[in-house]
Amino acid sequence: MKLATTTDDFSRYYPEHTERIKAIADAGFKYIDLSFYAIDKINSPFMLENFKEYVEQLKGIANELGVK
């Protein structure tokens, strides 16, 4: 079993996904569930034209921190 948490669990404390990923890694988790819970909100970065680049950026940060 792989112990993981979702980025949405940290959304009340960290507004940006990059901050959430760092906080989750700092908490000792090795696996992250990138939450799309609020994907339908107008200001969601996942609804922008460059969403693929944004996701690649998040993946790069996760890789740097050693989390999957």
Coordinates of all heavy atoms in Angstrom, one line a residue:
M1 N 0.8 -1.2 0.0 CA 0.0 0.0 0.0 C 0.9 1.2 0.0 O 1.9 1.3 0.7 CB -0.9 0.0 1.2 CG -1.8 1.2 1.3 SD -3.0 1.2 2.6 CE -2.0 1.5 4.0
K2 N 0.5 2.2 -0.8 CA 1.2 3.5 -0.9 C 0.4 4.6 -0.1 O -0.7 4.8 -0.5 CB 1.5 3.9 -2.3 CG 2.3 2.9 -3.0 CD 2.5 3.3 -4.5 CE 3.3 2.2 -5.2 NZ 3.4 2.5 -6.6
L3 N 1.0 5.2 0.8 CA 0.4 6.2 1.6 C 0.5 7.5 0.9 O 1.6 8.0 0.5 CB 1.0 6.4 3.0 CG 0.4 7.3 4.0 CD1 -1.1 6.9 4.2 CD2 1.1 7.3 5.3
A4 N -0.6 8.2 0.6 CA -0.7 9.4 -0.2 C -1.7 10.4 0.4 O -2.5 10.0 1.3 CB -1.1 9.1 -1.6
T5 N -1.7 11.6 0.0 CA -2.7 12.6 0.3 C -3.0 13.4 -0.9 O -2.2 13.4 -1.9 CB -2.3 13.5 1.5 OG1 -3.4 14.2 1.9 CG2 -1.1 14.4 1.1
T6 N -4.1 14.1 -0.9 CA -4.5 14.9 -2.0 C -4.2 16.4 -1.8 O -4.2 16.9 -0.7 CB -6.0 14.7 -2.3 OG1 -6.4 15.5 -3.4 CG2 -6.8 15.1 -1.1
T7 N -3.9 17.0 -2.9 CA -3.5 18.5 -2.8 C -4.7 19.3 -2.3 O -4.5 20.3 -1.7 CB -3.1 19.0 -4.2 OG1 -4.1 18.7 -5.2 CG2 -1.8 18.4 -4.6
D8 N -5.9 18.8 -2.5 CA -7.1 19.5 -2.0 C -7.1 19.6 -0.4 O -7.6 20.6 0.1 CB -8.4 18.9 -2.5 CG -9.6 19.8 -2.2 OD1 -9.6 21.0 -2.6 OD2 -10.5 19.4 -1.5
D9 N -6.5 18.6 0.2 CA -6.4 18.6 1.7 C -5.6 19.8 2.2 O -5.8 20.3 3.3 CB -5.8 17.4 2.2 CG -6.7 16.2 2.1 OD1 -7.9 16.3 1.8 OD2 -6.2 15.0 2.2
F10 N -4.7 20.4 1.4 CA -3.9 21.5 1.7 C -4.4 22.8 1.2 O -3.7 23.8 1.4 CB -2.5 21.2 1.3 CG -1.7 20.2 2.1 CD1 -2.1 18.8 2.0 CD2 -0.7 20.5 2.9 CE1 -1.5 17.9 2.8 CE2 -0.1 19.6 3.7 CZ -0.4 18.2 3.6
S11 N -5.5 22.8 0.5 CA -6.0 24.0 -0.2 C -6.4 25.2 0.7 O -6.3 26.3 0.4 CB -7.1 23.7 -1.1 OG -8.3 23.2 -0.4
R12 N -6.7 24.9 2.0 CA -7.1 25.9 2.9 C -5.9 26.6 3.5 O -6.0 27.7 4.0 CB -7.9 25.3 4.1 CG -9.3 24.9 3.6 CD -10.1 24.4 4.7 NE -11.4 24.0 4.2 CZ -12.2 23.1 4.8 NH1 -11.8 22.6 5.9 NH2 -13.4 22.8 4.3
Y13 N -4.7 26.0 3.4 CA -3.5 26.5 3.9 C -2.6 27.1 2.9 O -1.8 28.0 3.2 CB -2.8 25.5 4.7 CG -3.6 24.7 5.7 CD1 -4.1 23.5 5.4 CD2 -4.0 25.3 6.9 CE1 -4.9 22.8 6.3 CE2 -4.8 24.7 7.8 CZ -5.3 23.4 7.5 OH -6.1 22.8 8.4
Y14 N -2.7 26.6 1.7 CA -1.8 27.0 0.6 C -2.6 27.3 -0.7 O -3.2 26.3 -1.2 CB -0.7 26.0 0.3 CG 0.1 25.7 1.5 CD1 -0.1 24.5 2.3 CD2 1.2 26.5 1.9 CE1 0.6 24.2 3.4 CE2 1.9 26.2 3.0 CZ 1.6 25.1 3.8 OH 2.4 24.8 4.9
P15 N -2.7 28.5 -1.2 CA -3.5 28.8 -2.3 C -3.0 28.2 -3.7 O -3.8 27.9 -4.5 CB -3.6 30.3 -2.4 CG -2.4 30.7 -1.7 CD -2.1 29.7 -0.7
E16 N -1.7 28.0 -3.8 CA -1.1 27.6 -5.0 C -0.8 26.1 -5.0 O -0.3 25.6 -4.0 CB 0.2 28.4 -5.3 CG -0.1 29.9 -5.5 CD -0.9 30.2 -6.7 OE1 -0.8 29.5 -7.7 OE2 -1.7 31.2 -6.6
H17 N -1.0 25.4 -6.1 CA -0.6 24.0 -6.2 C 0.8 23.7 -5.9 O 1.2 22.7 -5.3 CB -1.0 23.4 -7.6 CG -2.5 23.3 -7.8 ND1 -3.2 24.3 -8.4 CD2 -3.3 22.3 -7.4 CE1 -4.5 23.9 -8.4 NE2 -4.6 22.7 -7.9
T18 N 1.7 24.6 -6.4 CA 3.1 24.4 -6.1 C 3.4 24.4 -4.6 O 4.2 23.6 -4.2 CB 4.0 25.5 -6.8 OG1 3.5 26.8 -6.4 CG2 3.9 25.4 -8.3
E19 N 2.8 25.3 -3.9 CA 3.0 25.4 -2.4 C 2.4 24.1 -1.8 O 3.1 23.6 -0.8 CB 2.3 26.6 -1.9 CG 2.8 27.9 -2.3 CD 1.9 29.1 -1.9 OE1 0.7 29.0 -2.0 OE2 2.5 30.0 -1.4
R20 N 1.3 23.6 -2.3 CA 0.7 22.4 -1.7 C 1.7 21.2 -1.9 O 1.8 20.4 -1.0 CB -0.6 22.1 -2.4 CG -1.6 23.2 -2.0 CD -2.9 22.9 -2.8 NE -3.7 24.1 -2.9 CZ -4.7 24.2 -3.7 NH1 -5.2 23.2 -4.4 NH2 -5.4 25.4 -3.7
I21 N 2.2 21.1 -3.1 CA 3.1 20.0 -3.4 C 4.3 20.0 -2.5 O 4.7 19.0 -1.9 CB 3.5 20.0 -4.9 CG1 2.3 19.6 -5.8 CG2 4.7 19.0 -5.1 CD1 2.5 19.8 -7.2
K22 N 4.9 21.2 -2.3 CA 6.0 21.3 -1.4 C 5.7 21.0 0.0 O 6.4 20.3 0.7 CB 6.6 22.7 -1.5 CG 7.3 23.0 -2.8 CD 7.7 24.5 -2.9 CE 8.3 24.7 -4.3 NZ 8.7 26.2 -4.5
A23 N 4.5 21.4 0.5 CA 4.1 21.1 1.9 C 3.8 19.6 2.1 O 4.2 19.1 3.1 CB 2.8 21.9 2.2
I24 N 3.3 19.0 1.1 CA 3.0 17.6 1.2 C 4.3 16.8 1.2 O 4.5 15.9 2.0 CB 2.1 17.1 0.0 CG1 0.7 17.7 0.1 CG2 2.1 15.6 -0.1 CD1 -0.2 17.5 -1.1
A25 N 5.3 17.2 0.4 CA 6.6 16.6 0.4 C 7.3 16.8 1.7 O 7.9 15.9 2.3 CB 7.5 17.1 -0.7
D26 N 7.2 18.0 2.3 CA 7.8 18.4 3.5 C 7.2 17.6 4.7 O 7.8 17.3 5.7 CB 7.7 19.8 3.9 CG 8.5 20.7 3.0 OD1 9.5 20.2 2.4 OD2 8.3 21.9 3.0
A27 N 5.9 17.2 4.5 CA 5.2 16.4 5.5 C 5.6 14.9 5.5 O 5.3 14.1 6.4 CB 3.7 16.5 5.4
G28 N 6.4 14.6 4.5 CA 6.9 13.2 4.4 C 6.2 12.3 3.4 O 6.6 11.1 3.3
F29 N 5.2 12.8 2.7 CA 4.5 11.9 1.8 C 5.4 11.7 0.5 O 6.1 12.6 0.1 CB 3.2 12.5 1.3 CG 2.2 12.5 2.4 CD1 2.0 13.6 3.3 CD2 1.3 11.4 2.6 CE1 1.0 13.6 4.3 CE2 0.4 11.3 3.5 CZ 0.2 12.4 4.4
K30 N 5.3 10.5 0.0 CA 6.0 10.2 -1.3 C 5.1 10.1 -2.5 O 5.6 10.1 -3.6 CB 6.8 8.8 -1.1 CG 7.8 8.8 0.0 CD 8.9 9.8 -0.3 CE 10.0 9.8 0.8 NZ 10.9 10.9 0.7
Y31 N 3.8 10.1 -2.2 CA 2.8 10.0 -3.3 C 1.8 11.1 -3.1 O 1.3 11.4 -2.0 CB 2.2 8.7 -3.3 CG 3.2 7.6 -3.5 CD1 3.7 6.9 -2.5 CD2 3.6 7.2 -4.8 CE1 4.7 5.9 -2.6 CE2 4.6 6.3 -5.0 CZ 5.1 5.6 -3.9 OH 6.0 4.7 -4.1
I32 N 1.4 11.8 -4.2 CA 0.4 12.9 -4.2 C -0.7 12.6 -5.2 O -0.4 12.2 -6.3 CB 1.1 14.2 -4.6 CG1 2.1 14.6 -3.5 CG2 0.1 15.3 -4.7 CD1 2.9 15.8 -3.9
D33 N -1.9 12.9 -4.7 CA -3.1 12.9 -5.6 C -3.3 14.3 -6.0 O -3.7 15.1 -5.2 CB -4.3 12.3 -4.9 CG -5.5 12.4 -5.7 OD1 -5.5 12.3 -7.0 OD2 -6.6 12.8 -5.1
L34 N -3.1 14.7 -7.3 CA -3.3 16.0 -7.7 C -4.8 16.2 -7.9 O -5.4 15.6 -8.8 CB -2.6 16.3 -9.0 CG -2.8 17.7 -9.6 CD1 -2.2 18.8 -8.7 CD2 -2.0 17.8 -11.0
S35 N -5.4 17.0 -7.0 CA -6.9 17.1 -7.0 C -7.4 18.0 -8.1 O -6.9 19.1 -8.3 CB -7.3 17.6 -5.6 OG -8.7 17.9 -5.6
F36 N -8.4 17.6 -8.7 CA -9.1 18.4 -9.7 C -10.5 18.7 -9.2 O -11.4 19.0 -10.0 CB -9.3 17.6 -11.1 CG -7.9 17.4 -11.7 CD1 -7.4 16.2 -11.8 CD2 -7.3 18.5 -12.3 CE1 -6.2 16.0 -12.4 CE2 -6.1 18.3 -13.0 CZ -5.5 17.0 -13.0
Y37 N -10.7 18.8 -7.9 CA -11.9 19.0 -7.3 C -12.6 20.3 -7.7 O -13.7 20.4 -8.0 CB -11.8 19.0 -5.7 CG -13.0 19.3 -5.0 CD1 -14.1 18.4 -4.9 CD2 -13.2 20.6 -4.4 CE1 -15.3 18.7 -4.3 CE2 -14.4 20.9 -3.7 CZ -15.4 19.9 -3.6 OH -16.5 20.2 -3.0
A38 N -11.7 21.4 -7.8 CA -12.3 22.7 -8.2 C -11.9 23.1 -9.7 O -11.8 24.2 -10.0 CB -11.7 23.7 -7.3
I39 N -11.8 22.1 -10.5 CA -11.4 22.3 -11.9 C -12.4 23.2 -12.6 O -12.0 23.9 -13.6 CB -11.2 21.0 -12.6 CG1 -10.4 21.2 -13.9 CG2 -12.5 20.3 -12.9 CD1 -10.0 19.9 -14.6
D40 N -13.6 23.2 -12.3 CA -14.6 23.9 -13.0 C -14.7 25.4 -12.6 O -15.5 26.2 -13.2 CB -16.0 23.3 -12.8 CG -16.5 23.2 -11.4 OD1 -15.6 23.4 -10.5 OD2 -17.7 23.0 -11.2
K41 N -13.9 25.8 -11.7 CA -13.9 27.3 -11.3 C -13.3 28.1 -12.3 O -12.3 27.7 -13.0 CB -13.2 27.4 -9.9 CG -14.0 26.7 -8.8 CD -13.5 27.2 -7.5 CE -14.4 26.5 -6.5 NZ -14.1 26.6 -5.1
I42 N -13.8 29.3 -12.5 CA -13.3 30.2 -13.6 C -11.9 30.5 -13.5 O -11.1 30.5 -14.4 CB -14.2 31.5 -13.6 CG1 -15.6 31.2 -13.9 CG2 -13.5 32.5 -14.5 CD1 -16.5 32.4 -13.8
N43 N -11.3 30.6 -12.3 CA -9.9 31.0 -12.1 C -9.0 29.8 -12.0 O -7.9 29.9 -11.6 CB -9.8 31.9 -10.9 CG -10.2 31.3 -9.6 OD1 -10.9 30.2 -9.6 ND2 -9.9 31.9 -8.5
S44 N -9.5 28.6 -12.3 CA -8.7 27.4 -12.2 C -7.6 27.4 -13.3 O -7.9 27.6 -14.4 CB -9.6 26.1 -12.4 OG -8.8 25.0 -12.5
P45 N -6.4 27.1 -12.9 CA -5.3 27.1 -13.9 C -5.5 25.9 -14.8 O -4.9 25.9 -15.9 CB -4.1 26.9 -13.1 CG -4.5 26.4 -11.7 CD -5.9 26.9 -11.5
F46 N -6.3 24.9 -14.5 CA -6.6 23.8 -15.3 C -7.6 24.1 -16.4 O -7.8 23.3 -17.3 CB -7.1 22.6 -14.5 CG -6.1 22.2 -13.4 CD1 -6.4 22.4 -12.1 CD2 -4.9 21.6 -13.8 CE1 -5.5 22.0 -11.1 CE2 -4.0 21.2 -12.8 CZ -4.3 21.4 -11.5
M47 N -8.2 25.3 -16.4 CA -9.1 25.7 -17.4 C -8.5 26.7 -18.4 O -9.2 27.2 -19.2 CB -10.4 26.3 -16.7 CG -11.1 25.3 -15.9 SD -11.7 23.8 -16.8 CE -13.1 24.5 -17.7
L48 N -7.3 27.0 -18.2 CA -6.6 28.0 -19.1 C -6.0 27.3 -20.3 O -5.9 26.1 -20.4 CB -5.5 28.7 -18.3 CG -5.9 29.5 -17.1 CD1 -4.7 30.0 -16.3 CD2 -6.9 30.6 -17.4
E49 N -5.7 28.1 -21.3 CA -5.2 27.6 -22.6 C -3.9 26.8 -22.4 O -3.6 25.8 -23.0 CB -4.9 28.8 -23.5 CG -6.1 29.5 -24.0 CD -6.7 28.8 -25.2 OE1 -6.0 28.1 -26.0 OE2 -7.9 29.0 -25.5
N50 N -3.1 27.3 -21.4 CA -1.8 26.7 -21.2 C -1.8 25.6 -20.1 O -0.8 25.4 -19.4 CB -0.7 27.7 -20.9 CG -1.0 28.5 -19.6 OD1 -2.1 28.5 -19.1 ND2 0.0 29.1 -19.1
F51 N -2.9 25.0 -19.9 CA -3.0 24.0 -18.8 C -2.0 22.9 -18.8 O -1.5 22.4 -17.8 CB -4.4 23.4 -18.7 CG -4.7 22.4 -19.7 CD1 -4.6 21.1 -19.5 CD2 -5.2 22.8 -21.0 CE1 -4.9 20.1 -20.4 CE2 -5.5 21.8 -21.9 CZ -5.3 20.5 -21.7
K52 N -1.6 22.5 -20.1 CA -0.6 21.4 -20.2 C 0.7 21.8 -19.6 O 1.4 21.0 -18.9 CB -0.5 20.9 -21.6 CG -1.7 20.2 -22.1 CD -1.5 19.7 -23.6 CE -2.8 19.1 -24.1 NZ -2.7 18.6 -25.5
E53 N 1.1 23.0 -19.9 CA 2.4 23.6 -19.4 C 2.4 23.7 -17.9 O 3.3 23.4 -17.2 CB 2.7 24.9 -20.0 CG 3.1 24.9 -21.5 CD 1.9 24.9 -22.4 OE1 0.7 25.0 -22.0 OE2 2.1 24.8 -23.6
Y54 N 1.2 24.1 -17.4 CA 1.0 24.2 -15.9 C 1.2 22.8 -15.3 O 1.9 22.7 -14.3 CB -0.3 24.8 -15.6 CG -0.6 25.0 -14.1 CD1 0.1 26.0 -13.4 CD2 -1.5 24.2 -13.4 CE1 -0.1 26.2 -12.1 CE2 -1.7 24.4 -12.1 CZ -1.0 25.4 -11.4 OH -1.2 25.6 -10.1
V55 N 0.6 21.8 -15.8 CA 0.7 20.5 -15.3 C 2.1 20.0 -15.3 O 2.6 19.3 -14.4 CB -0.3 19.5 -15.9 CG1 -0.1 18.1 -15.5 CG2 -1.8 19.9 -15.7
E56 N 2.8 20.2 -16.4 CA 4.2 19.8 -16.6 C 5.1 20.5 -15.5 O 6.0 19.9 -15.0 CB 4.7 20.1 -18.0 CG 4.2 19.2 -19.0 CD 4.6 17.7 -18.8 OE1 5.7 17.5 -18.4 OE2 3.8 16.9 -19.1
Q57 N 4.8 21.8 -15.2 CA 5.5 22.5 -14.2 C 5.3 21.8 -12.8 O 6.2 21.6 -12.1 CB 5.0 24.0 -14.1 CG 5.6 24.7 -13.0 CD 4.9 26.1 -12.8 OE1 3.9 26.4 -13.4 NE2 5.5 26.9 -11.9
L58 N 4.0 21.5 -12.5 CA 3.7 20.8 -11.3 C 4.5 19.4 -11.2 O 5.0 19.1 -10.2 CB 2.2 20.6 -11.1 CG 1.4 21.9 -11.0 CD1 -0.1 21.5 -10.9 CD2 1.9 22.7 -9.9
K59 N 4.5 18.7 -12.3 CA 5.2 17.4 -12.4 C 6.7 17.6 -12.1 O 7.3 16.9 -11.4 CB 4.9 16.8 -13.7 CG 5.6 15.4 -13.8 CD 5.3 14.8 -15.2 CE 6.0 13.5 -15.4 NZ 5.8 12.9 -16.7
G60 N 7.2 18.7 -12.7 CA 8.7 19.0 -12.5 C 9.0 19.3 -11.0 O 10.0 18.8 -10.5
I61 N 8.1 20.0 -10.4 CA 8.3 20.3 -9.0 C 8.3 19.0 -8.2 O 9.1 18.8 -7.3 CB 7.3 21.4 -8.5 CG1 7.6 22.7 -9.1 CG2 7.3 21.5 -7.0 CD1 6.5 23.7 -8.9
A62 N 7.3 18.2 -8.4 CA 7.1 16.9 -7.7 C 8.4 16.1 -7.9 O 8.9 15.5 -7.0 CB 5.9 16.2 -8.2
N63 N 8.8 16.0 -9.2 CA 10.0 15.2 -9.5 C 11.3 15.7 -8.7 O 12.0 14.9 -8.1 CB 10.3 15.2 -11.0 CG 9.4 14.4 -11.8 OD1 8.7 13.5 -11.2 ND2 9.3 14.6 -13.0
E64 N 11.4 17.0 -8.6 CA 12.5 17.6 -7.9 C 12.5 17.3 -6.4 O 13.5 17.1 -5.8 CB 12.5 19.2 -8.1 CG 12.9 19.7 -9.4 CD 12.8 21.2 -9.5 OE1 12.6 21.9 -8.5 OE2 12.8 21.7 -10.7
L65 N 11.3 17.2 -5.9 CA 11.1 16.9 -4.5 C 11.1 15.4 -4.2 O 11.0 15.0 -3.0 CB 9.8 17.6 -4.0 CG 9.8 19.1 -4.0 CD1 8.4 19.6 -3.7 CD2 10.8 19.6 -3.0
G66 N 11.1 14.6 -5.2 CA 11.1 13.1 -5.1 C 9.8 12.5 -4.7 O 9.7 11.4 -4.1
V67 N 8.7 13.2 -5.1 CA 7.3 12.6 -4.9 C 6.7 12.3 -6.3 O 7.0 12.9 -7.3 CB 6.4 13.6 -4.1 CG1 7.0 13.8 -2.7 CG2 6.3 14.9 -4.8
K68 N 5.8 11.3 -6.2 CA 5.1 10.9 -7.5 C 3.7 11.2 -7.3 O 3.1 11.2 -6.3 CB 5.3 9.4 -7.7 CG 6.8 9.1 -7.9 CD 6.9 7.6 -8.2 CE 8.3 7.2 -8.4 NZ 8.5 5.9 -8.8

